Amino acid sequence: MAIINALATILAMITFLGICWWAFSRGRAQANREAAMLPFALPDEGTTDKKN
């Protein structure tokens, strides 16, 4: 039973590290920049301009 727990832990760690590597890889840099700017692309909540 302990071997199964160890294998599950190792698999979870490898999965976590793989996701971190993917998220911070150079290929994702542009997508990360675009995602970081999304909150600023929304219209302001306090504006009273109404377009008909």
Side-chain angles (χ1 to χ4, degrees), residues 5-25:
N5 288 339
L7 290 175
T9 300
I10 291 170
L11 180 62
M13 186 173 63
I14 290 171
T15 302
F16 173 75
L17 293 174
I19 291 171
C20 289
W21 173 78
W22 169 79
F24 294 106
S25 66

Side-chain angles (χ1 to χ4, degrees), residues 10-12 14 18 24-25 30-33 37 41 46 48 52:
I10 291 170
L11 180 62
I14 290 171
F24 294 106
S25 66
Q30 182 62 31
N32 289 343
R33 272 190 234 102
M37 295 306 290
T48 57
N52 293 331

